[in-house]
Amino acid sequence: MTRPPESWIGRRWRHGGTITERHVEQFRMTLDGSLAESEVPPGFHWTMILDTAAADALGDDGHPRAGLFMPDLGLPRRMWAGGSLLPGAPLRCGDRLVRDSVIADIAFKDGASGRLGFVTVDHVWSVGGKTRIRERQDIVYRGPDTPGRRAAPAPAWPGADAWTVRPDPLLVFRYSAVTFNSHRIHWDLAWARDVEHYDGLVVHGPLQVTWMLNLATSVLGRQPSALRYRSVSPLVAGDEAAVEARGADGGLELRVRRLRDGGVTTTGRADP
């Protein structure tokens, strides 16, 4: 019998792994040109300690089948909605990193685009029993025919710090490989377009947040003490984008913005 979604609140699990020089080098080569100077670049932790499953335990979309790590909400399409990070001391090669995870909340919402399910997962990343990163992750589930949101055009910020990124299909594939992410929206063009109704292969949410986190680190000269972020609209492979940062209320306002039409795909706020 399928467990009711609310019974998953409080479910905990733990994974661990050691940061190796080879893994960090693969991450660097994948994101070459859009990382801050650091032994282990910010955002690397999203390539570690993954919720993996054998091929016969995957759903049609390539994610681990609902009911293994995440509840079955009856809504098949999964995407990052947003979240927050509280980074601590930088990670280093050789660290034995442990992630403790708990499902903190499950909620449903009916909107103009149909029924949505939200699962909030809290993670604590630690080394030697000492917390290095606290993270809250909001994951959204949508119905099979729910359209994605379109972003309104936004002009460039005058005087902002900015990087230009070019997420082509090769970058999307390599980031999927380094994160062991088999979600078909990132590698199967027919699936992305015909089944999940995107304009092309989707650029990962954590990849976009990694760009913002590394730009903030470069501007501040250190990792921010806190980062909050939200996914606004899809970014697809082939869309050149600007990663932008500007000062705001003592911190940094961040975003990823498509250059062809000015559409904002991800927003964020970094505290110094």
Side-chain angles (χ1 to χ4, degrees):
M1 179 180 297
T2 302
R3 295 169 55 185
E6 60 271 16
S7 71
W8 285 73
I9 296 175
R11 181 184 184 273
R12 298 177 179 273
W13 65 101
R14 166 179 278 200
H15 295 312
T18 300
I19 300 174
T20 67
E21 291 183 2
R22 179 179 179 182
H23 195 176
V24 172
E25 182 67 9
Q26 289 173 337
F27 182 72
R28 286 187 181 282
M29 293 300 98
T30 300
L31 277 73
D32 186 38
S34 56
L35 293 174
E37 290 293 329
S38 180
E39 179 180 339
V40 176
F44 172 83
H45 71 284
W46 281 313
T47 75
M48 290 285 296
I49 314 175
L50 311 166
D51 294 330
T52 59
D56 61 0
L58 299 177
D60 291 340
D61 66 353
H63 266 307
R65 191 167 53 243
L68 292 178
F69 299 102
M70 302 293 283
D72 186 351
L73 304 185
L75 300 165
R77 295 177 61 191
R78 165 181 169 152
M79 288 292 290
W80 271 35
S84 62
L85 285 175
L86 297 174
L91 300 172
R92 300 193 178 281
C93 289
D95 281 348
R96 172 71 179 176
L97 188 61
V98 174
R99 190 194 73 188
D100 288 288
S101 306
V102 59
I103 295 178
D105 191 32
I106 297 172
F108 293 91
K109 177 182 177 181
D110 291 310
S113 60
R115 188 159 176 78
L116 302 173
F118 294 88
V119 179
T120 299
V121 184
D122 288 341
H123 303 291
V124 175
W125 305 74
S126 60
V127 176
K130 297 182 178 179
T131 299
R132 294 293 183 88
I133 301 168
R134 292 188 180 274
E135 178 180 6
R136 170 155 286 202
Q137 208 175 86
D138 298 316
I139 302 166
V140 61
Y141 291 84
R142 299 183 290 168
D145 297 317
T146 306
R149 288 193 291 178
R150 299 288 180 179
W157 288 333
D161 291 281
W163 289 343
T164 298
V165 292
R166 298 171 177 84
D168 59 14
L170 179 59
L171 172 59
V172 173
F173 168 78
R174 292 183 76 178
Y175 190 79
S176 290
V178 80
T179 57
F180 202 69
N181 185 338
S182 55
H183 193 179
R184 292 174 67 165
I185 62 172
H186 304 306
W187 59 268
D188 185 336
L189 183 58
W191 178 276
R193 284 181 173 169
D194 301 339
V195 179
E196 301 212 23
H197 312 298
Y198 292 106
D199 293 334
L201 296 175
V202 178
V203 180
H204 310 69
L207 174 53
Q208 296 184 59
V209 179
T210 296
W211 286 331
M212 295 195 307
L213 179 57
N214 278 269
L215 177 58
T217 300
S218 296
V219 171
L220 296 171
R222 62 188 182 282
Q223 286 196 80
S225 62
L227 175 72
R228 295 177 294 281
Y229 60 88
R230 184 169 68 91
S231 295
V232 177
S233 68
L235 178 66
V236 300
D239 271 343
E240 190 175 57
V243 186
E244 300 171 323
R246 67 177 179 181
D249 300 324
L252 292 174
E253 187 177 2
L254 302 158
R255 68 184 183 183
V256 178
R257 184 175 60 90
R258 288 191 303 265
L259 292 180
R260 64 175 171 84
D261 62 1
V264 175
T265 62
T266 305
T267 62
R269 156 83 192 191
D271 296 332

